[in-house]
């Protein structure tokens, strides 16, 4: 089986600083790969090279049989990689429907003029959210009135609705309370069951062990080790994060 | 979100407060007129037309400004964009003389609007491409437009003699003054733009969170330029109407209206932080201010009281905005 995504020999230099030195890993369909590592290890830089925010100094990324390296962020999104940033990039003053469709809104013509199909977009949002096990109390309300977990679900719904094959999440639970962290972990399980590949960045050990099919530990810009949760423990992962290789 | 009937009632009250306030002041002036003079204030064509024309003049500055404020920016330059287009229009008409007829006036309208659009392009470029905060950038073009308008006008009012221009400023069609019809058309177009188009959604999203639209693949820089051009465009129309109304273009035509235009947008439900506001709200805001202006004059108070009254209404609007935010759980 060829991997859904394969990163080979990624390197990123910022001026004289080599933020990422040599990182290679694969992600398969329906698999959740956790990138773990201390602050400054290079996790965010790695995912930005995958999502097209940065062009790698060296190395390449293949996805779904095609070479992605050097393509624009927009092209990579269209190819099926959706990145969910910590701030979620939601428009808080708009309802879930408009957030789901932001940038690709549905319109209906009336008297030759396009009008936003608000109702239709809202219904689609309710449907996608339902498939994630989330019930929105009032789908006409702006998303700022929703809980952190529900907002996360809207960002994830956007990925599903636009048929993402790979979803990248940068520390999705960092700003959430405990019940909402659980909601997000449940969302990740549902995404996996839909066959979506996931790259999850985290340095919260319980989250890492709950979500990961494989754990890839980064330290100072290189892969310090790769483990399945069943073959390792907290202690070993922390040791690898601190930079003791293997 | 916890919510009982009490808070949701309060919420709708706060959302509708500008309507209630409008009814309240209309009722107040009507009652005052009945008691003082035994005559009606409101139910006279003259009153209605005067209020509507005053509101139109405010609205033409406030409509484009509404979009800019919803997007989380401000445009102070409109004060002199109006004056600039008024002066340019007057100069073109004067250049061709009173025999020019409609052709000259139409040309003058076009050149006047073009002058306004140039200011809008500069604003958009400064904010979108040079990343100048709009408050500072448009304060700069406020000064520039003011200076250029005074320079081209030779420091004076440019008076003209043109029946066609006067018809645009003072004509009445089916009982409706032309400025009111013009403002109504612009208001309808802008209302459609803001509530029913992708452009409108992106404007709201931009005001709430720039990253949301950027990551959705919207060209934010282009969007910002269009917003500032639209703002200059409606302010420019305001200048054209001014020249028509008074048969003269003045560099400071829009200056006294800037405060009223900004006030109308905030009374109409916009928020300083962006992401909120509607065209209908701005229309109500402009009417409230026009009623205050005209009502105070009508009741024989010194006209300076209108500044105090409008100032008070602005403060009420801000307080309402903040209590609304608290109720809907917006963290500031
Ligand atoms: N745009 C940038 N310019 C310069 N240095 C950067 C930039 N982005 C990240 N770095 C540096 O690269 C290193 C890795 O950062 P990052 O990928 O954000 O780590 P992590 O996400 O694992 O905390 C850090 O030393 C950081 O200072
Ligand atoms: Mg990071």
């Amino acid at each position: 089986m060829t991997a859904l995504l394969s990163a080979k020999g990624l390197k990123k230099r910022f001026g004289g600083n080599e933020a990422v030195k040599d990182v290679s890993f694969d992600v398969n369909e329906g698999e959740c790969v956790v990138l773990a590592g201390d602050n400054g290890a290079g996790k965010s830089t790695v995912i930005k090279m995958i999502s097209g925010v940065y062009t790698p100094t060296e190395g390449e990324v293949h996805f779904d049989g095609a070479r992605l390296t050097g393509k624009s962020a927009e092209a990579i999104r269209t190819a099926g990689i959706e990145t969910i940033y910590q701030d979620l990039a939601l428009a808080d003053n708009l309802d879930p429907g408009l957030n789901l469709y932001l940038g690709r809104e549905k319109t209906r013509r009336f008297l030759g003029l396009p009008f936003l199909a608000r109702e239709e977009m809202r219904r689609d949002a309710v449907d996608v959210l339902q498939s994630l096990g989330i019930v929105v109390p009032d789908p006409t309300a702006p998303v700022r009135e929703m809980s952190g977990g529900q907002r996360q679900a809207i960002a994830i719904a956007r990925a599903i609705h636009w048929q993402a094959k790979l979803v990248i999440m940068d520390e999705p639970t960092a700003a959430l309370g405990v019940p909402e962290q659980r909601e997000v972990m449940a969302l990740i399980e549902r995404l996996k069951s839909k066959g979506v590949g996931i790259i999850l960045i985290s340095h919260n050990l319980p989250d890492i062990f709950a979500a990961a099919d494989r754990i890839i530990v980064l330290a100072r810009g290189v892969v310090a080790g790769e483990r399945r949760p069943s073959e390792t423990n907290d202690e070993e992962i922390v040791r690898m994060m601190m930079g003791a290789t293997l | 979100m916890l919510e009982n009937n009490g808070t949701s009632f309060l919420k709708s009250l706060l959302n509708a407060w500008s309507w209630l306030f409008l009814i309240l002041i209309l009722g107040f002036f009507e009652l005052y007129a009945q008691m003082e003079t035994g005559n009606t204030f409101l139910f006279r064509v003259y009153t209605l037309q005067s209020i509507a024309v005053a509101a139109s003049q405010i609205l033409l500055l406030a409509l484009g400004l509404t979009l800019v404020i919803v997007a989380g920016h401000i445009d102070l330059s409109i004060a002199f964009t109006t004056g600039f287009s008024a002066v340019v229009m007057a100069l073109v008409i004067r250049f061709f003389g009173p025999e020019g007829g409609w052709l000259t006036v139409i040309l003058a309208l076009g050149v006047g609007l073009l002058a306004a659009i140039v200011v809008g392009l500069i604003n958009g470029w400064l904010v979108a491409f040079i990343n100048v905060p709009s408050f500072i950038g448009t304060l700069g073009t406020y000064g520039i437009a003011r200076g250029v308008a005074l320079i081209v006008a030779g420091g004076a009012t440019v008076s003209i003699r043109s029946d066609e221009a006067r018809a645009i400023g003072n004509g009445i069609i089916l009982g409706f003054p032309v400025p009111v019809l013009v403002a109504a058309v612009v208001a309808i177009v802008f209302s459609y733009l803001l509530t029913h188009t992708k452009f409108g959604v992106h404007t709201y999203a931009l005001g709430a969170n720039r990253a949301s639209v950027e990551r959705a693949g919207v060209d934010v820089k282009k969007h910002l330029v269009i917003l500032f051009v639209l703002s200059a465009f409606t302010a420019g129309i305001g200048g054209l109407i001014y020249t028509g109304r008074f048969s003269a273009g003045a560099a400071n035509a829009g200056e006294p209206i800037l405060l009223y235009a900004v006030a109308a947008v905030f009374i109409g439900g916009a928020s300083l932080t962006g992401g909120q506001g509607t065209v209908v709200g701005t229309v109500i805001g402009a009417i409230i201010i026009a009623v205050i202006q005209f009502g105070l004059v009508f009741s024989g108070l010194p006209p300076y009281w209108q500044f105090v009254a409008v100032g008070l209404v602005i403060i009420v609007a801000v307080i309402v905005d903040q209590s609304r935010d608290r109720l809907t759980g917006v963290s500031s």
Side-chain angles (χ1 to χ4, degrees):
Chain A
M1 181 173 118
T2 62
L4 175 65
L5 176 110
S6 143
K8 287 202 184 71
L10 289 180
K11 174 189 280 198
K12 184 70 190 176
R13 205 180 288 128
F14 295 109
N17 175 17
E18 247 177 27
V20 174
K21 299 188 181 77
D22 178 18
V23 170
S24 304
F25 66 95
D26 288 349
V27 183
N28 299 307
E29 272 178 28
E31 184 188 35
C32 178
V33 170
V34 171
L35 285 187
D38 205 359
N39 278 329
K43 308 178 297 288
S44 295
T45 306
V46 166
I47 62 152
K48 284 177 181 165
M49 286 190 275
I50 295 171
S51 63
V53 177
Y54 296 150
T55 310
T57 311
E58 272 175 38
E60 43 188 68
V61 179
H62 288 264
F63 176 69
D64 212 16
R67 202 183 120 101
L68 283 190
T69 329
K71 286 198 184 169
S72 71
E74 191 54 27
I76 289 171
R77 224 163 75 106
T78 312
I81 299 181
E82 191 83 24
T83 307
I84 297 171
Y85 294 89
Q86 235 167 51
D87 67 4
L88 299 182
L90 295 178
D92 271 340
N93 53 348
L94 302 177
D95 71 19
L98 286 170
N99 269 290
L100 180 64
Y101 278 92
L102 198 59
R104 301 179 260 204
E105 298 83 359
K106 274 191 187 177
T107 56
R108 288 264 166 275
R109 283 195 175 271
F110 180 69
L111 299 175
L113 288 175
F115 281 76
L116 291 169
R118 286 175 191 269
E119 279 302 322
E120 210 177 314
M121 292 189 274
R122 212 170 271 153
R123 271 200 304 276
D124 290 352
V126 171
D127 286 350
V128 189
L129 285 169
Q130 217 154 41
S131 82
L132 287 170
I134 301 277
V135 176
V136 181
D138 177 8
T140 63
V143 304
R144 70 163 162 260
E145 297 186 16
M146 293 172 187
S147 73
Q150 289 170 342
R151 291 157 50 80
Q152 195 89 39
I154 291 169
I156 292 171
R158 191 148 67 183
I160 295 172
H161 186 71
W162 298 104
Q163 256 103 54
K165 297 187 193 108
L166 179 76
V167 173
I168 300 174
M169 291 187 249
D170 194 348
E171 311 229 17
T173 59
L176 300 179
V178 174
E180 297 181 329
Q181 290 183 7
R182 278 206 205 97
E183 258 182 82
V184 172
M185 296 323 268
L187 284 171
I188 289 173
E189 281 309 311
R190 292 207 194 84
L191 267 181
K192 275 162 59 172
S193 70
K194 287 173 189 281
V196 177
I198 296 168
I199 301 175
L200 175 70
I201 291 190
S202 179
H203 53 225
N204 174 320
L205 288 166
D207 280 3
I208 293 173
F209 278 90
D213 295 306
R214 262 183 312 130
I215 305 167
I216 292 168
V217 182
L218 296 190
R220 295 190 217 102
V222 298
V223 176
E226 180 179 328
R227 294 285 186 280
R228 294 190 174 277
S230 55
E231 358 168 293
T232 186
N233 54 41
D234 289 10
E235 218 178 306
E236 189 189 27
I237 297 292
V238 171
R239 208 153 10 94
M240 290 198 297
M241 293 209 285
M242 303 316 272
T245 19
L246 307 171
Chain B
M1 191 96 340
L2 282 178
E3 189 175 298
N4 56 39
N5 287 334
T7 64
S8 93
F9 173 72
L10 201 58
K11 228 162 76 179
S12 15
L13 203 68
L14 287 173
N15 281 325
W17 83 275
S18 56
W19 287 94
L20 294 175
F21 188 76
L22 177 59
I23 293 168
L24 209 71
I25 55 172
L26 282 174
F28 171 78
F29 283 121
E30 179 64 22
L31 206 68
Y32 177 85
Q34 297 281 1
M35 291 195 318
E36 286 291 304
T37 67
N39 283 321
T40 175
F41 162 74
L42 189 56
F43 302 100
R44 288 196 312 180
V45 174
Y46 173 72
T47 307
L48 293 176
Q49 283 182 346
S50 304
I51 290 175
V53 169
S56 308
Q57 203 77 71
I58 296 168
L59 256 188
L60 285 172
L61 272 79
L63 284 171
L65 183 64
T66 303
L67 268 59
V68 170
I69 289 178
V70 167
H73 288 272
I74 187 82
D75 185 354
L76 300 174
S77 68
I78 50 174
F80 287 100
T81 307
T82 294
F84 188 32
S85 83
V87 166
V88 168
M89 173 180 169
L91 284 172
V92 173
I93 290 174
R94 183 186 265 190
F95 181 79
F96 286 101
E99 302 81 39
W102 277 109
L103 210 63
T104 302
V105 172
I106 289 167
L107 181 74
L109 293 173
V111 179
L113 272 185
L114 224 58
I117 287 170
V118 169
V119 182
L121 282 171
I122 295 172
N123 288 335
W125 173 73
L126 284 173
V127 173
F129 290 92
I130 315 294
N131 289 320
V132 179
S134 54
F135 186 89
I136 303 296
T138 62
L139 194 61
T141 50
Y142 169 104
I144 294 169
R146 175 189 214 168
V148 172
L150 284 167
I151 291 164
V152 297
T157 300
V158 183
S159 56
I160 53 168
R161 277 190 297 125
S162 160
D163 294 340
E164 293 81 5
R166 204 169 44 228
I168 290 173
N170 301 290
I172 291 183
I173 299 173
L174 299 171
F176 293 101
V178 173
V180 176
L181 293 174
V182 171
V185 169
V186 179
I188 289 167
V189 171
F190 274 60
S191 177
Y192 163 74
L193 212 59
L194 196 53
T195 46
H196 294 298
T197 68
K198 297 180 179 208
F199 183 84
V201 173
H202 300 163
T203 304
Y204 280 105
L206 187 55
N209 179 5
R210 178 174 174 141
S212 71
V213 250
E214 246 160 11
R215 287 177 199 154
V218 175
D219 187 341
V220 171
K221 289 183 163 59
K222 186 172 131 197
H223 194 96
L224 282 169
V225 173
I226 295 173
L227 284 173
F228 281 98
V229 167
L230 287 175
S231 175
F233 178 79
T234 72
I237 296 177
L240 307 180
I241 296 286
Y242 180 96
T243 297
R245 270 181 80 194
F246 301 107
S247 287
N252 64 357
E255 193 186 11
I257 308 174
L258 177 66
L259 171 72
Y260 295 153
V262 174
V265 178
F266 287 115
I267 293 168
S271 155
L272 264 177
T273 50
Q276 281 174 60
T278 61
V279 167
V280 175
T282 297
V283 171
I284 301 296
I287 295 174
I288 286 176
I289 293 169
V291 168
I292 291 175
Q293 277 183 311
F294 191 79
L296 289 178
V297 173
F298 173 85
S299 55
L301 279 167
Y304 312 115
W305 278 101
Q306 59 177 287
F307 301 120
V308 178
V310 171
L312 287 175
V313 180
I314 294 175
I315 292 169
V316 172
V318 172
I319 292 171
V320 168
D321 177 46
Q322 288 186 343
S323 9
R324 189 171 39 207
D325 281 358
R326 262 196 299 279
L327 275 178
T328 51
V330 176
S331 51
S332 51

